[in-house]
Amino acid sequence: MKRKIPAVLIAILVSHLSISQDLNYAKNVVKTLASDEFKGRGYVGQGDQIAAKYIGAEFRKLGLKSFKKNYFQKFTTSVNTFPSAMNLALNGTKKSAGIDYLIEAGSPGVKGEFNTVTLPIEDMLNQHLLSGKLRSSEGQFLVIPTFNRKDYTNEQQKRITEVINFI
């Protein structure tokens, strides 16, 4: 009888450990957080807040206790952080990062003076004009002027986003 008790105890412990992690639940949480609804979990479109509310709701479902009245811990961080000084001037006019222009996260660092080509939104929406502009701008920086997305249809906004992502 003494030999059966440790075996039963080990079987109970192993069965408990096997249900302590739910791989399908974990995959579902990751898939949900990575979905378009969460807008990359960034500050643009309040994706960070959408994700925080989702995570808080999941914590409540799991029965986790919060340190305070909720699970949120507020903090601030600048959205315009760069590893070193940023300097850009167009036609002799100094520009400010995050205000006058945006840098794509994967962009390499560059130094020097470069020729620029302006790519108006109208050119992005016309395949013939876009192709010509892209061919003629090889080795130059493309400048996309500020625009209001609300001035364009959903289909046009989608096209603009596709072109910007391509570039």
Side-chain angles (χ1 to χ4, degrees):
M1 184 72 173
K2 287 184 179 181
R3 289 186 180 181
K4 289 185 180 181
I5 292 176
V8 170
L9 186 57
I10 290 171
I12 291 171
L13 286 173
V14 169
S15 68
H16 176 70
L17 291 174
S18 68
I19 62 169
S20 65
Q21 294 182 356
D22 184 344
L23 186 58
N24 289 330
Y25 171 74
K27 285 181 180 180
N28 186 49
V29 168
V30 171
K31 183 178 179 181
T32 301
L33 287 169
S35 70
D36 290 343
E37 178 186 349
F38 289 81
K39 303 176 188 328
R41 297 165 313 283
Y43 71 94
V44 176
Q46 299 181 336
D48 57 341
Q49 293 176 28
I50 296 168
K53 288 177 185 173
Y54 170 78
I55 292 168
E58 291 302 302
F59 283 177
R60 270 188 290 288
K61 282 185 205 173
L62 293 170
L64 297 177
K65 293 183 180 181
S66 63
F67 289 111
K68 296 185 179 182
K69 59 183 174 181
N70 61 41
Y71 300 100
F72 301 107
Q73 180 179 1
K74 294 189 182 261
F75 67 94
T76 58
T77 184
S78 174
V79 296
N80 296 316
T81 58
F82 305 100
S84 59
M86 298 282 297
N87 296 303
L88 174 69
L90 287 174
N91 299 324
T93 304
K94 187 173 180 175
K95 303 295 180 182
S96 297
I99 297 170
D100 300 316
Y101 66 95
L102 299 174
I103 301 291
E104 176 65 33
S107 297
V110 294
K111 291 182 182 181
E113 292 189 20
F114 305 93
N115 292 326
T116 61
V117 174
T118 301
L119 182 60
I121 299 303
E122 292 70 28
D123 289 6
M124 288 187 200
L125 298 173
N126 180 309
Q127 185 63 42
H128 179 71
L129 292 174
L130 176 63
S131 296
K133 188 72 79 157
L134 292 177
R135 274 194 297 279
S136 69
S137 64
E138 184 176 344
Q140 301 179 63
F141 275 79
L142 286 172
V143 176
I144 301 170
T146 303
F147 64 97
N148 187 344
R149 288 191 172 275
K150 293 178 184 176
D151 293 341
Y152 300 93
T153 66
N154 287 341
E155 185 177 310
Q156 289 173 322
Q157 289 178 34
K158 182 179 177 188
R159 172 70 176 160
I160 293 165
T161 299
E162 288 171 351
V163 171
I164 290 172
N165 289 340
F166 171 77
I167 293 171

